[in-house]
Amino acid sequence: MRYFNLIVLSLVAFGMAPKSFANPKTFLWGAALSAHQTEGAFEGGENGDWWEYEHSHENGVSPIAGGDTADFAVDHWHRYSEDYEIAQKLGLNTLRTSVAWEKIEPSPHVFSSQVMAHYRAQFQRMRELGIRPMITLHHFTHPRWFHQRGGWLSPESPELFLEYAQYVVKNLGDLCDLWITFNEPMLFVIMGYLKGEIPPGETGLDSAYEAAYQIARAHRKVAAMIHEVQGASPKAKGEDGVLRGVGLANALPIYDPYNPRNLRDVEAAVKVADLSNWAFLKGIQAGRLKFDLPEGIPGVHGFDRVLPAEDLPPWPTGPAMDWIGVNYYTRYLIRYNEQSLLKVEWVTPPGPHGDNGWAIYPAGLERILRESAARFGLPLVVTENGLADAQDSRRLGFLKEHLRFMDSAILGSNLGGPLDVRGYYHWSLMDNFEWLHGYQYRFGLVEVQYEKGLRRVPRPSAEGYRAEIHGRK
Ligand code: FCB
């Protein structure tokens, strides 16, 4: 086996990826986007929580860098066809994007057929160009009415989300069979319900636990619904090589101990990884959500609650996930710190980093894929990976290095045997609205010239990505 891996690795090193590469015909080569970050507020964006947040100015200060808003974003609403044509020229066979709940369901139980007609045209165009859509149902934004009814703290929230998801799947199900329920649910919970840094701005451990619990329930209900409508495993698992079904896109950074010889740092890194990367996914799969927090810290306690079995009957509507979506960008070092509330401190490792400060650590992609596979035994998809690099001077190197480590995961390496990785989505196809950071960071393979009428100009790295894909086919 080792000998085989060696041959494979040397072939890859010489740029001759062998034909065994992850079933080259069905491998998903894509880029990722999201509705709010690209579309603009056209046809109902003002019903959304982020719209409200971007337009709120406490003491005259906008919560978004530079006072930016996503009112026009990159006008993907009107330019989607042009954007998909660019993606096709790059050799992409799939695109991941989301649909905007606030536009689709502007008030409770009222759905906009006009907005749905728009999305149908959009995904039809995608398919005409030979691009398979992967649709995210929830990428951070909500209708404002949802928060007025208690948001994810309300026990009715999973049903409300299910009703919206049902409408989407009923109307787009003939165009899409690759679904993501939630993008980065734990990041969303931490920022929106623990730290209050994004809408709905709730703070506190109890609200974070409750939101995570209701979101886990919502995921399981929606997974069951999609399986009922579109067929469950093994078809969904794609044993014919074509991936289908339901996953989540999880923020999965690498957490390493600051000092690997300090036991407290080692324990702290394991704990942080468990809480932020794995506990939620484990809970969804096991039907019981459990967050273990260190004992004896005042005001801090754990969480342990069973997820109702009736949300996800085991057959024919299970499993809870058909594959795991891995959003991988960076690595953090975790240091034990007596002073901080949770006794841990996040440290950015020295060395190369993106314009936004995220450390570049390509080997982490193989490590996180291996850990995800070992924990869940499911097919994997890299649902996001990319770099803030306005000059485009490091993006191609970043991309090539990460793909090299993905190859090692797929083909086997000294870290372990071959893994079932089904796709790679680069974040992002083009520059867009980077949440709290506005437009200042550029993640696009394609530059958007904001000063020149939002002109799209592919960067050199886009051509480099095309060549990388071509070389693996
Ligand atoms: C991820 C988000 C995505 C984008 C990238 C840079 O956390 O899912 O929307 O902002 O980071």
Side-chain angles (χ1 to χ4, degrees):
M1 192 60 195
R2 267 177 192 257
Y3 184 59
F4 168 78
N5 287 344
L6 214 79
I7 297 176
V8 160
L9 279 179
S10 35
L11 282 174
V12 172
F14 286 105
M16 299 185 291
K19 282 285 172 250
S20 67
F21 177 79
N23 204 345
K25 285 207 186 69
T26 56
F27 194 82
L28 297 162
W29 286 110
L33 304 162
S34 89
H36 187 73
Q37 291 174 275
T38 58
E39 284 177 356
F42 309 102
E43 291 190 53
E46 69 282 2
N47 300 313
D49 54 355
W50 271 81
W51 188 92
E52 187 179 31
Y53 192 52
E54 290 155 20
H55 289 86
S56 68
H57 288 72
E58 224 172 272
N59 307 319
V61 182
S62 161
I64 312 296
D68 290 343
T69 74
D71 288 359
F72 294 96
V74 298
D75 194 17
H76 185 63
W77 191 259
H78 298 109
R79 296 185 182 217
Y80 63 81
S81 193
E82 177 187 349
D83 292 336
Y84 300 161
E85 283 160 27
I86 296 174
Q88 189 200 39
K89 288 204 189 92
L90 296 182
L92 306 189
N93 58 21
T94 180
L95 281 174
R96 174 186 162 214
T97 191
S98 64
V99 289
W101 186 3
E102 60 277 19
K103 292 186 182 182
I104 291 176
E105 193 180 0
S107 34
H109 319 297
V110 177
F111 294 93
S112 165
S113 53
Q114 196 179 320
V115 166
M116 190 43 78
H118 173 94
Y119 280 129
R120 276 199 66 79
Q122 179 183 308
F123 291 112
Q124 255 155 359
R125 180 69 187 133
M126 216 191 249
R127 290 191 72 109
E128 264 165 34
L129 293 166
I131 299 174
R132 253 183 102 190
M134 173 185 272
I135 301 181
T136 308
L137 293 165
H138 182 281
H139 198 123
F140 298 160
T141 64
H142 309 78
R144 284 197 246 167
W145 62 257
F146 178 73
H147 297 310
Q148 283 150 16
R149 295 175 68 142
W152 293 109
L153 300 180
S154 158
E156 68 162 358
S157 54
E159 272 300 321
L160 291 173
F161 187 70
L162 175 67
E163 195 185 329
Y164 148 71
Q166 261 161 341
Y167 180 77
V168 174
V169 173
K170 190 171 116 213
N171 284 281
L172 298 177
D174 59 326
L175 301 172
C176 176
D177 57 4
L178 268 174
W179 301 95
I180 288 179
T181 51
F182 291 90
N183 180 67
E184 304 189 337
M186 278 308 288
L187 187 101
F188 165 66
V189 163
I190 291 168
M191 295 193 67
Y193 282 88
L194 179 72
K195 297 188 180 173
E197 289 171 355
I198 60 171
E202 299 284 344
T203 52
L205 208 48
D206 286 322
S207 60
Y209 285 148
E210 194 59 39
Y213 182 78
Q214 301 301 346
I215 290 171
R217 287 196 61 197
H219 167 85
R220 284 161 56 92
K221 277 178 180 289
V222 171
M225 180 272 291
I226 291 175
H227 287 147
E228 234 163 12
V229 176
Q230 300 203 325
S233 174
K235 189 176 160 238
K237 246 178 118 179
E239 262 135 37
D240 54 0
V242 179
L243 190 76
R244 300 180 189 85
V246 193
L248 301 111
N250 307 282
L252 299 178
I254 293 279
Y255 293 111
D256 277 334
Y258 181 79
N259 175 359
R261 282 184 295 276
N262 178 335
L263 197 62
R264 287 184 145 178
D265 287 3
V266 174
E267 281 169 4
V270 170
K271 185 89 323 197
V272 168
D274 189 54
L275 290 172
S276 95
N277 286 1
W278 311 118
F280 181 80
L281 283 172
K282 271 199 266 182
I284 280 185
Q285 205 180 40
R288 175 176 173 182
L289 190 62
K290 211 162 173 278
F291 293 102
D292 288 321
L293 275 177
E295 304 279 318
I297 308 174
V300 170
H301 54 93
F303 180 88
D304 183 358
R305 203 191 293 165
V306 168
L307 292 158
E310 62 272 21
D311 286 347
L312 183 80
W315 183 262
T317 48
M321 307 178 273
D322 298 301
W323 39 271
I324 305 273
V326 175
N327 290 2
Y328 175 72
Y329 289 92
T330 192
R331 169 166 92 131
Y332 296 101
L333 301 179
I334 300 299
R335 179 155 58 178
Y336 179 82
N337 179 346
E338 190 64 42
Q339 309 306 319
S340 93
L341 178 67
L342 291 177
K343 310 248 181 277
V344 291
E345 183 191 340
W346 270 243
V347 181
T348 298
H353 52 79
D355 295 347
N356 60 353
W358 291 352
I360 299 175
Y361 178 57
L365 180 56
E366 181 180 1
R367 287 179 56 196
I368 205 73
L369 287 169
R370 290 197 174 281
E371 188 160 0
S372 307
R375 284 174 178 273
F376 302 104
L378 292 171
L380 305 170
V381 181
V382 179
T383 35
E384 285 181 30
N385 171 242
L387 184 71
D389 177 18
Q391 299 303 318
D392 202 42
S393 58
R394 290 155 302 152
R395 183 172 288 103
L396 185 54
F398 175 100
L399 209 152
K400 283 182 165 184
E401 282 279 282
H402 282 79
L403 291 183
R404 193 162 67 76
F405 280 103
M406 183 179 78
D407 292 343
S408 301
I410 291 172
L411 299 167
S413 73
N414 58 349
L415 295 186
L419 299 187
D420 186 7
V421 182
R422 303 294 185 95
Y424 175 88
Y425 291 78
H426 193 78
W427 183 274
S428 177
L429 180 63
M430 65 246 176
D431 294 337
N432 56 54
F433 176 78
E434 229 347 279
W435 306 112
L436 296 175
H437 304 290
Y439 297 99
Q440 63 177 316
Y441 296 130
R442 305 299 188 104
F443 277 91
L445 292 161
V446 176
E447 178 191 357
V448 174
Q449 299 188 333
Y450 292 101
E451 313 303 324
K452 293 193 184 154
L454 303 174
R455 208 157 77 104
R456 274 62 167 157
V457 183
R459 295 191 163 105
S461 57
E463 168 54 26
Y465 185 30
R466 197 196 60 75
E468 288 293 312
I469 296 172
H470 190 71
R472 286 173 177 78
K473 276 193 171 155

